């Protein structure tokens, strides 16, 4: 069972608009009332470390306690990651500036540090680009990510000032994905996510997931 400090932090971090939407999904799919769902979600957060997205994705409304115990929820996943990874290298992944620099040859798109670049470097970055993405240096789940349309601004100087004022200075060219991956939803970058475990010299693949956008969205929210 998750510790009380972690549970308290989860409660404080709840976005009730999103949670309310998840309760609506549960009601539509399983016919479970919202009051019961709310209490069940709180219980599953405390007992199984499941956020409300976990609750819906894993179908917890339709499962027994014994079945719920078999799922790798957000808390259980965190414990596995902590046991299997050396977190002294954590910032190489959490710091997007450092990540883009270290893994540049694998990204297949141009990136730029909007905090430290010169205006000439920025002009070169946006040359021949209709759009690009600007992100905060830390964060996850697409929060704060903004798609910039170059023609909406009067000058490169105005764009650069905009991203600096909003502290979204991790700048990246828009990815062009394979046509087959684009077919289900062409507005988003649809991803193939492969989890790996390295034990000695052997790499295992416990699962592979495919994630697609929907409803015309390019990230969270509506497509601009």
């Amino acid at each position: 069972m998750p510790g009380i400090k972690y549970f308290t932090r989860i409660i404080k971090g709840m976005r009730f608009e999103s949670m309310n939407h998840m309760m609506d999904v549960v009601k539509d799919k399983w016919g479970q009332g919202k009051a019961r769902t709310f209490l069940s979600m709180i219980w599953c957060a405390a007992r199984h470390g499941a956020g409300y997205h976990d609750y819906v994705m894993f179908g917890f409304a339709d499962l027994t306690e014994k079945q719920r115990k078999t799922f790798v929820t957000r808390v259980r996943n965190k414990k596995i990651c902590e046991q299997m990874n050396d977190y002294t290298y954590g910032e190489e992944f959490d710091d997007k500036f450092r990540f883009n620099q270290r893994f540049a040859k694998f990204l297949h798109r141009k990136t730029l540090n909007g905090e430290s670049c010169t205006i000439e470097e920025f002009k070169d970055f946006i040359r021949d680009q209709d759009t690009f993405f600007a992100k905060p240096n830390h964060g996850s789940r697409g929060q704060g990510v903004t798609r910039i349309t170059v023609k909406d601004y009067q000058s490169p100087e105005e764009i650069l000032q905009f991203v600096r004022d909003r502290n979204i200075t991790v700048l990246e060219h828009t990815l062009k994905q394979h046509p087959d991956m684009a077919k289900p939803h062409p507005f988003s970058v649809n991803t193939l996510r492969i989890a790996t475990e390295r034990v000695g010299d052997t790499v295992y693949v416990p699962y592979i997931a495919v994630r697609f956008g929907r409803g015309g969205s390019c990230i969270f929210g509506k497509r601009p």
Side-chain angles (χ1 to χ4, degrees), residues 27-205:
K27 185 176 181 180
D28 291 342
K29 189 168 184 178
W30 291 287
Q32 181 171 280
K34 294 179 72 171
R36 180 181 176 185
T37 297
F38 176 79
L39 294 175
S40 182
M41 284 181 170
I42 297 299
W43 165 254
C44 287
R47 181 67 181 87
H48 303 289
Y52 41 83
H53 289 282
D54 285 345
Y55 188 93
V56 174
M57 180 170 59
F58 297 144
F60 271 21
D62 199 39
L63 299 180
T64 66
E65 282 297 289
K66 185 177 180 180
Q67 290 170 323
R68 289 169 175 172
K69 289 178 181 179
T70 67
F71 284 83
V72 180
T73 60
R74 57 182 296 179
V75 172
R76 292 167 182 162
N77 180 70
K78 184 174 185 292
K79 289 181 178 179
I80 292 171
C81 290
E82 288 174 345
Q83 290 173 358
M84 299 189 68
N85 294 279
D86 184 350
Y87 274 76
T88 58
Y89 296 98
E91 276 297 288
E92 295 295 324
F93 297 90
D94 293 337
D95 186 307
K96 293 181 175 62
F97 287 137
R98 290 169 62 174
F99 182 92
N100 285 349
Q101 183 177 19
R102 186 175 184 87
F103 300 101
K105 69 178 181 179
F106 302 106
L107 296 179
H108 302 291
R109 62 172 162 177
K110 191 172 183 179
T111 68
L112 185 69
N113 185 330
E115 284 185 4
S116 60
C117 71
T118 66
I119 187 60
E120 294 305 319
E121 289 172 331
F122 180 69
K123 288 179 179 178
D124 180 67
F125 174 80
I126 64 172
R127 187 172 291 116
D128 300 323
Q129 299 298 307
D130 296 324
T131 62
F132 67 92
F133 282 83
K135 307 175 180 179
N137 190 37
H138 289 83
S140 61
R141 301 179 59 223
Q143 294 179 355
V145 176
T146 303
R147 184 170 65 174
I148 305 292
T149 301
V150 175
K151 68 179 182 180
D152 289 345
Y153 298 83
Q154 297 295 322
S155 66
E157 288 82 0
E158 182 183 358
I159 303 174
L160 187 57
Q161 191 61 51
F162 174 84
V163 299
R164 286 176 173 173
D165 287 345
R166 285 156 181 77
N167 199 29
I168 47 174
T169 49
V170 179
L171 311 180
E172 300 177 350
H173 279 184
T174 301
L175 276 173
K176 183 178 180 180
Q177 63 185 340
H178 191 281
D180 289 342
M181 283 294 288
K183 283 180 182 178
H185 190 265
F187 306 112
S188 60
V189 175
N190 306 312
T191 55
L192 182 67
R193 303 180 179 208
I194 304 174
T196 60
E197 298 174 355
R198 180 182 173 185
V199 182
D201 293 329
T202 304
V203 176
Y204 299 92
V205 179

